[in-house]
């Protein structure tokens, strides 16, 4: 192999290692997880946290820090609500709807109590190490506010 090919390969490997070491790998791949894997406390490592319950309710702190929640009004009221997975409208389909009976998914809808507002949340990584981000679309990610990761288990 000539020097130019080796340089390209080394640059690609370095970029992959940097992405993985910085925790950005979670933002690359959509994760499809079970509801029981979703249940529990998630945090961004700072002041934001959300706890998902088996009865499809959630409670949270500082969720108003995510830009996508601005459409829901004042951030102080974004403390609880209900959640459901987005699911295909037909098996293998590409159209999705919020489905309260879905037990697995890669996208969530959070509906806040007392508000006519919902926020989409995208799941990244894999079943063993998922992360999530409230965002207007899956490609936007959570650069400034940080991805939410499980905080109530040892891994």
């Amino acid at each position: 192999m000539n020097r130019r090919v080796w340089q390209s390969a080394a640059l690609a490997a370095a970029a992959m290692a940097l992405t993985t070491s910085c925790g950005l790998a979670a933002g690359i791949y959509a994760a499809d997880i079970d509801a029981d894997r979703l249940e529990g406390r998630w945090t961004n490592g700072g002041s934001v946290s959300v706890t998902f319950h088996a009865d499809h309710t959630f409670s949270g702190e500082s969720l108003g820090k995510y830009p996508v929640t601005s459409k829901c009004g004042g951030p102080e009221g974004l403390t609880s609500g209900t959640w459901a997975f987005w699911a295909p409208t037909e098996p293998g389909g590409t159209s999705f709807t919020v489905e309260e009976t879905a037990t697995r998914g890669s996208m969530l809808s959070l509906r806040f109590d007392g508000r006519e507002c919902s926020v989409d949340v995208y799941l990244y990584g894999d079943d063993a190490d998922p992360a999530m981000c409230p965002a207007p679309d899956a490609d936007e990610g959570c650069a400034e506010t940080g991805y939410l990761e499980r905080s109530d288990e040892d891994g």
Side-chain angles (χ1 to χ4, degrees):
M1 290 173 108
N2 67 30
R3 181 180 174 152
R4 196 167 280 239
V5 173
W6 279 109
Q7 286 176 328
S8 296
L11 182 60
M16 182 180 288
L18 180 61
T19 299
T20 302
S21 68
C22 291
L24 300 175
I28 296 174
Y29 303 103
D32 191 39
I33 68 172
D34 289 321
D36 62 348
R37 185 76 176 115
L38 177 69
E39 294 165 18
R41 186 170 186 267
W42 297 67
T43 182
N44 71 347
S47 62
V48 180
S49 71
V50 61
T51 302
F52 294 95
H53 306 283
D55 66 356
H56 285 254
T57 62
F58 71 89
S59 56
E61 295 178 22
S62 301
L63 289 170
K65 291 187 177 185
Y66 286 88
V68 71
T69 63
S70 65
K71 68 181 183 176
C72 296
E76 62 282 348
L78 304 178
T79 59
S80 63
T82 58
W83 66 268
F85 284 114
W86 282 88
T89 55
E90 58 186 55
T94 57
S95 295
F96 290 81
T97 187
V98 176
E99 180 56 58
E100 293 175 5
T101 61
T103 60
R104 180 176 194 83
S106 60
M107 300 176 292
L108 298 171
S109 176
L110 303 183
R111 179 164 296 281
F112 294 99
D113 290 339
R115 313 258 177 138
E116 290 297 318
C117 182
S118 62
V119 169
D120 293 333
V121 176
Y122 298 92
L123 298 160
Y124 302 99
D126 59 35
D127 190 57
D129 189 24
M132 68 173 64
C133 176
D137 77 46
D139 295 329
E140 187 167 302
C142 284
E144 290 181 29
T145 48
Y147 288 88
L148 295 160
E149 297 177 342
R150 291 294 302 257
S151 67
D152 60 350
E153 64 183 25
D154 294 322

